[in-house]
Amino acid sequence: MSEGPKKEGLRERKKRQTRQYLSDVATGLFLERGFDAVTVAEIAEACEVSVNTVYNYFPAKEDLFFDRSKGVVDRLSRWVRGRGAGESAAAAVLRELRDEVEAVSPRVGLFEGYERFMRVIHGSAALKARLWYIQQETAEHLERTLCEEVGAEEGDLLPVLVAGQLNWAHGTLMAHIGREMTAGRKATEVSREALALLDELEDLLSERVLNYAVRAPE
């Protein structure tokens, strides 16, 4: 019998809460003054902790802003691993993106106030560099997942190409949403346009990409 998920202990819960508190306070300061204008020492002072405590939870200042980046990096891989019988990797990713967009989900930037986050990123070379790195990590993570899912042999370039195409589609959608939300558009309006963009992106993908890694019926 499965034991189920392990119950979070008091120590783990306190650590999680402290991490969230540090990130929330730091994000508030970044939104108010800009990323580069805020120091780690100021964040520590605002949280009434030491600078070392901040660094114990967040090795770099950028981590305080992109504190949920791990969920972004493995998002496409999770969708691919969770695809249904008869569904390809691309179909799973496109389906999940459509679901998020149709739901006007904050997970794809469709919420009031998202433009403030985007302006902070655009105002900092360090954050733009970190965002690019996250995008590369996402593609590499997906590539490894595809290799595992199809049992690809060493040197097979197809998983690399498919991962690149799906990451491109995801990045193009997110960039579009970011631009439109930054321009002050309503989330519901951007959602409708993003759905049309997804259709166009799917049309641009080749049949080889669209039919890659189809899960066999059980």
Side-chain angles (χ1 to χ4, degrees):
M1 178 182 293
S2 172
E3 296 180 357
K6 185 178 179 181
K7 187 177 180 180
E8 183 182 44
L10 177 61
R11 185 168 180 269
E12 289 76 15
R13 183 168 70 254
K14 285 186 174 181
K15 288 179 66 176
R16 175 177 54 78
Q17 291 171 341
T18 298
R19 177 184 174 87
Q20 188 62 58
Y21 177 65
L22 293 172
S23 174
D24 289 346
V25 171
T27 299
L29 291 172
F30 296 149
L31 291 174
E32 179 183 351
R33 295 164 48 195
F35 181 78
D36 296 334
V38 179
T39 67
V40 174
E42 289 173 321
I43 294 168
E45 182 179 1
C47 294
E48 298 183 340
V49 299
S50 69
V51 170
N52 284 339
T53 296
V54 177
Y55 280 123
N56 283 340
Y57 284 91
F58 299 94
K61 193 171 88 167
E62 293 84 354
D63 297 327
L64 284 155
F65 189 84
F66 290 118
D67 63 311
R68 295 177 178 84
S69 63
K70 185 180 184 300
V72 175
V73 167
D74 67 2
R75 177 159 62 182
L76 301 185
S77 289
R78 290 199 311 272
W79 291 344
V80 167
R81 287 193 295 267
R83 69 196 186 283
E87 190 173 38
S88 70
V93 169
L94 292 169
R95 172 178 53 76
E96 291 283 359
L97 286 174
R98 284 194 178 92
D99 288 348
E100 296 281 8
V101 172
E102 286 180 344
V104 194
S105 171
R107 288 188 292 268
V108 288
L110 292 169
F111 65 93
E112 185 178 350
Y114 185 61
E115 70 278 2
R116 297 178 65 199
F117 286 89
M118 294 305 298
R119 289 193 182 103
V120 173
I121 294 173
H122 290 315
S124 170
L127 288 181
K128 286 189 284 189
R130 174 57 68 89
L131 183 59
W132 179 87
Y133 182 73
I134 290 172
Q135 292 168 343
Q136 303 312 301
E137 279 191 305
T138 301
E140 292 171 4
H141 197 291
L142 180 57
E143 176 190 331
R144 291 193 296 271
T145 297
L146 289 172
C147 286
E148 293 169 0
E149 290 293 308
V150 303
E153 296 181 0
E154 186 176 354
D156 185 355
L157 292 178
L158 196 50
V160 181
L161 297 174
V162 173
Q165 291 286 294
L166 296 182
N167 192 50
W168 161 78
H170 175 256
T172 300
L173 175 72
M174 295 302 296
H176 173 78
I177 291 174
R179 282 194 304 270
E180 297 305 310
M181 294 299 292
T182 301
R185 304 280 307 285
K186 291 183 178 179
T188 51
E189 295 176 353
V190 177
S191 171
R192 289 193 294 270
E193 294 178 0
L195 286 172
L197 175 60
L198 275 170
D199 290 339
E200 293 182 26
L201 292 172
E202 183 171 4
D203 288 342
L204 290 172
L205 296 175
S206 71
E207 289 299 316
R208 196 173 185 188
V209 172
L210 292 172
N211 294 313
Y212 185 76
V214 175
R215 170 156 287 165
E218 296 181 359

